Amino acid sequence: MFCVECGSTEKKMVGNICIDCFLKDFQMIEIPERIEVQICSHCNSKLEEGKWSEENIPEEEIIYRALERNIIIADEVSNEIINLEIDQMKGTIAQCFVEVVGEVHETQIEETHESEVKILKTVCPTCSKLQAGYYEAVIQFRADHREIKKEEYVKSDEIIEKTLIKLSKKDKLAYCPQIANLKEGRDYYIGSLKSARKVCEALKDEFGGIIKESPRLISEDKSTGKGLYRIWISLRIPEFEIGDFIKYENKISQVKDIDKNRVICIDMTNDNKKFTIPLKHMENIELIKKQDEIETTTIISKSPKTIQILDPSDYSAVDLEMKDDFKDCTIGDEIRLIKIDNYIYLIN
């Protein structure tokens, strides 16, 4: 068999031509002479196949990745080694060399190609939203039938800042571009709905309360005709606080703790037995007395079954049933009490 181009009969054949004639016009790789890469000038993320990804990558690494992504290796090549080198930068254009060593039909060959990568600086959609103060949700921080205290605002600000810093590692829109102070509470504008929901859960973990969401139509997408919505997330924290006195299902009790899902109380009508109330029933809990309405009086007499105190309102003697918690008290000791519906409850 002979080569149809050079007539050789002694060389290795590739099809109907010899290996030398085959390699004469063969290229191991193809790479464009010019490659353009769009990079966000704020976060260094890059646009690939219509999607923005991989933020905060060094510019040099972006150039190398652009070269790699645009190299097409011929099927006949094996054991290839590709070396990329940036020769020089001229403004936003990187002039590069691509060197290839590989085997083609058991013959080792080398190639060198030149290519330039042009960096196109732009702004990605996310950074554009950040610059414009974009938000997808508003957290409405409210209290039920009372004003929110200054220290509660300080704590809520701290929780929101801490939570957003943590979430921002994975969500660039985990930020708060605006805070509105209103008479009824505070509104926190949050960049992404996903992060807003997590922030609201963090607030609920601290204060308890009930979360409700309500979407509001803000505009219409002209290309699709679909409505564009923002979500208002309301967190309504309880009217009562730890130490306050409440009524629930005809039980008079004192609040000992509040977590994200329940109220922990002691039943003052039943030997201070501990019980819990689901916070989803918050609307059925009635605030009876605040903690700062607790009064102090003096024990004037005691017996195994009764304890006698002075009513602080008129200093009359009042006999109460002796409870286990007060058996070690002595005459003359001061004792705390709360008066509810003209009945005196002693507080340990």
Side-chain angles (χ1 to χ4, degrees):
M1 190 172 182
F2 64 93
C3 175
V4 298
E5 289 193 12
C6 70
S8 175
T9 59
E10 298 176 355
K11 298 176 184 178
K12 180 179 178 179
M13 302 296 292
V14 181
N16 59 358
I17 60 175
C18 70
I19 186 66
D20 289 346
C21 290
F22 175 81
L23 293 177
K24 186 170 54 177
D25 297 318
F26 179 80
Q27 283 194 345
M28 287 191 289
I29 68 167
E30 292 182 16
I31 186 168
E33 292 182 0
R34 183 184 180 91
I35 301 167
E36 292 186 348
V37 182
Q38 290 191 51
I39 298 177
C40 177
S41 57
H42 294 278
C43 71
N44 244 32
S45 61
K46 63 183 184 300
L47 183 64
E48 289 182 343
E49 297 177 354
K51 294 182 180 180
W52 289 91
S53 60
E54 304 246 20
E55 61 182 71
N56 298 320
I57 299 175
E59 194 170 276
E60 185 177 276
E61 179 65 21
I62 290 173
I63 293 169
Y64 285 134
R65 291 190 186 188
L67 291 168
E68 289 173 353
R69 193 172 59 252
N70 283 275
I71 291 174
I72 300 173
I73 302 173
D75 293 338
E76 294 89 347
V77 180
S78 61
N79 301 321
E80 69 275 4
I81 298 173
I82 300 176
N83 181 45
L84 306 175
E85 183 181 341
I86 300 173
D87 182 41
Q88 61 178 320
M89 289 289 299
K90 291 184 176 180
T92 59
I93 298 176
Q95 293 181 339
C96 308
F97 287 115
V98 180
E99 296 177 341
V100 189
V101 177
E103 292 182 6
V104 180
H105 296 292
E106 300 179 352
T107 301
Q108 183 169 305
I109 59 175
E110 298 181 10
E111 282 180 10
T112 301
H113 297 262
E114 294 183 5
S115 181
E116 63 179 34
V117 179
K118 181 174 178 58
I119 304 295
L120 302 175
K121 294 286 187 177
T122 183
V123 180
C124 71
T126 302
C127 287
S128 179
K129 289 176 180 179
L130 290 169
Q131 289 181 310
Y134 172 87
Y135 64 94
E136 293 177 355
V138 179
I139 297 174
Q140 297 178 303
F141 186 53
R142 305 287 188 267
D144 197 25
H145 305 303
R146 68 174 175 89
E147 291 186 359
I148 296 176
K149 295 180 178 179
K150 181 180 179 180
E151 54 268 29
E152 290 174 321
Y153 281 133
V154 171
K155 189 64 179 177
S156 68
D157 288 351
E158 178 186 313
I159 290 169
I160 289 173
E161 181 180 9
K162 183 178 178 180
T163 305
L164 288 176
I165 289 172
K166 182 179 178 181
L167 293 172
S168 65
K169 295 175 182 178
K170 293 185 177 180
D171 180 3
K172 286 170 64 176
L173 287 175
Y175 81 122
C176 182
Q178 182 182 346
I179 298 174
N181 294 304
L182 309 172
K183 183 179 180 181
E184 60 271 24
R186 186 168 284 178
D187 285 355
Y188 297 93
Y189 293 71
I190 307 297
S192 78
L193 175 59
K194 175 177 63 177
S195 290
R197 285 173 171 152
K198 291 179 180 178
V199 167
C200 208
E201 285 295 335
L203 289 172
K204 186 181 175 184
D205 287 348
E206 174 66 27
F207 297 103
I210 294 176
I211 295 175
K212 292 183 179 179
E213 289 190 12
S214 58
R216 299 184 187 179
L217 181 65
I218 57 169
S219 64
E220 186 177 276
D221 188 325
K222 294 180 180 179
S223 61
T224 63
K226 294 182 179 180
L228 298 176
Y229 292 85
R230 284 200 176 108
I231 307 298
W232 267 250
I233 308 174
S234 169
L235 173 63
R236 189 160 51 90
I237 66 176
E239 177 182 15
F240 50 85
E241 301 171 81
I242 294 173
D244 290 347
F245 300 88
I246 61 173
K247 180 186 283 188
Y248 177 75
E249 293 183 344
N250 294 320
K251 291 180 181 178
I252 303 297
S253 58
Q254 186 179 21
V255 177
K256 288 299 181 183
D257 197 11
I258 304 170
D259 64 24
K260 63 178 181 179
N261 293 317
R262 61 182 183 165
V263 185
I264 302 170
C265 311
I266 56 169
D267 186 352
M268 302 185 67
T269 60
N270 189 15
D271 292 327
N272 289 338
K273 287 185 178 179
K274 188 177 287 187
F275 71 102
T276 62
I277 307 170
L279 262 176
K280 64 182 179 180
H281 298 155
M282 192 171 83
E283 294 179 353
N284 298 322
I285 300 173
E286 180 185 355
L287 175 64
I288 303 298
K289 292 275 186 174
K290 296 293 291 181
Q291 185 180 15
D292 57 15
E293 296 180 79
I294 293 174
E295 299 178 271
T296 303
T297 189
T298 304
I299 299 174
I300 58 175
S301 176
K302 64 176 289 191
S303 71
K305 293 185 177 181
T306 62
I307 184 170
Q308 190 176 70
I309 62 166
L310 288 175
D311 186 334
S313 61
D314 59 9
Y315 299 103
S316 61
V318 179
D319 290 321
L320 300 172
E321 181 184 352
M322 175 63 76
K323 304 287 186 182
D324 290 341
D325 291 344
F326 304 100
K327 285 184 177 179
D328 294 335
C329 294
T330 60
I331 295 171
D333 285 350
E334 286 194 341
I335 195 168
R336 299 190 308 152
L337 62 87
I338 191 78
K339 184 181 280 190
I340 299 172
D341 296 332
N342 292 318
Y343 187 87
I344 292 175
Y345 297 91
L346 297 181
I347 301 169
N348 188 356

